[in-house]
Amino acid sequence: MEAEGRFRKEETMAKVLTVNPDKCTGCRLCEMACAVTNVRRFDLTQSRIKVISFGREFFQFPISCLQCDVPLCAQVCPTGAISKEETSGIVRVSKTKCIGCRICIMACPFGNIFLSLEERKAVKCELCDGEPQCVRFCVTEALQYREPEEQTIDKTVAFAERLREVYSQLQTIGQGVYIRT
């Protein structure tokens, strides 16, 4: 399967955040590390990575911004506050340009951009400038930050698309995807 659209493969790719759901215990250390790094306190509502639980199954999965190759959030931003760095691949939000209009939040197909109620600005995972603290504190190594392999990219794209399908189906039948806060 070839990655297409928002997730094009390129000759040289920046590191990617990968998740092994079989190793995730749902301990939420990744959320705590993220919150402390970004807002300097243990406020899980401010974490840029969220541990989600699917339905009534004991299936935990941390998810954060996928750093899309062609980020929809950047395409719809009326002020140009969201951009992708060519070298690192990190999609960033400029706090000086963001007006807090929330259009980017509506555009993200994965729900991985949020509005900071304190700042009234959009926030998202920016991979801690290339040293993601969620990875550093993941004791089971379910989270890794590494050079992408071709099969890893294909799996990530396939999983992200499947996650979107499952989420839509669960919403339709009244079961939920629970994001613990």
Side-chain angles (χ1 to χ4, degrees):
M1 172 199 320
E2 190 74 18
E4 298 176 4
R6 295 180 303 275
F7 307 100
R8 288 186 316 233
K9 287 185 239 177
E10 297 177 0
E11 290 297 316
T12 58
M13 293 206 53
K15 286 184 173 183
V16 293
L17 183 66
T18 62
V19 179
N20 182 339
D22 295 329
K23 290 184 175 183
C24 181
T25 63
C27 70
R28 302 179 78 188
L29 280 174
C30 56
E31 289 181 328
M32 287 187 262
C34 179
V36 168
T37 299
N38 286 290
V39 296
R40 304 287 183 236
R41 64 182 185 276
F42 289 108
D43 181 355
L44 298 185
T45 64
Q46 298 300 307
S47 176
R48 275 64 164 161
I49 188 168
K50 302 290 183 188
V51 175
I52 58 175
S53 301
F54 287 90
R56 294 184 175 97
E57 305 288 321
F58 185 73
F59 179 72
Q60 312 277 340
F61 191 84
I63 189 162
S64 67
C65 177
L66 298 176
Q67 312 299 334
C68 299
D69 191 54
V70 181
L72 294 177
C73 57
Q75 290 180 339
V76 301
C77 181
T79 63
I82 303 173
S83 61
K84 183 173 182 86
E85 288 182 358
E86 292 298 318
T87 54
S88 68
I90 298 172
V91 177
R92 296 194 183 274
V93 178
S94 167
K95 300 298 180 210
T96 57
K97 292 181 182 179
C98 179
I99 58 172
C101 68
R102 302 181 183 147
I103 293 174
C104 57
I105 295 169
M106 292 183 278
C108 178
F110 305 106
N112 292 328
I113 190 164
F114 313 93
L115 184 73
S116 166
L117 297 178
E118 293 172 3
E119 298 176 62
R120 308 297 302 165
K121 307 281 182 181
V123 295
K124 56 170 288 308
C125 174
E126 295 184 0
L127 297 170
C128 297
D129 295 323
E131 295 183 28
Q133 296 304 296
C134 57
V135 173
R136 181 175 170 217
F137 286 92
C138 182
V139 295
T140 63
E141 297 182 351
L143 293 170
Q144 294 187 1
Y145 188 59
R146 60 187 179 153
E147 299 293 331
E149 301 164 5
E150 189 167 319
Q151 72 252 28
T152 301
I153 297 167
D154 289 340
K155 286 180 184 178
T156 301
V157 171
F159 183 79
E161 294 298 335
R162 180 69 185 130
L163 189 61
R164 183 170 45 172
E165 289 172 23
V166 168
Y167 179 75
S168 295
Q169 290 169 0
L170 288 172
Q171 295 291 57
T172 302
I173 62 173
Q175 289 199 0
V177 175
Y178 305 100
I179 301 175
R180 298 187 300 182
T181 56

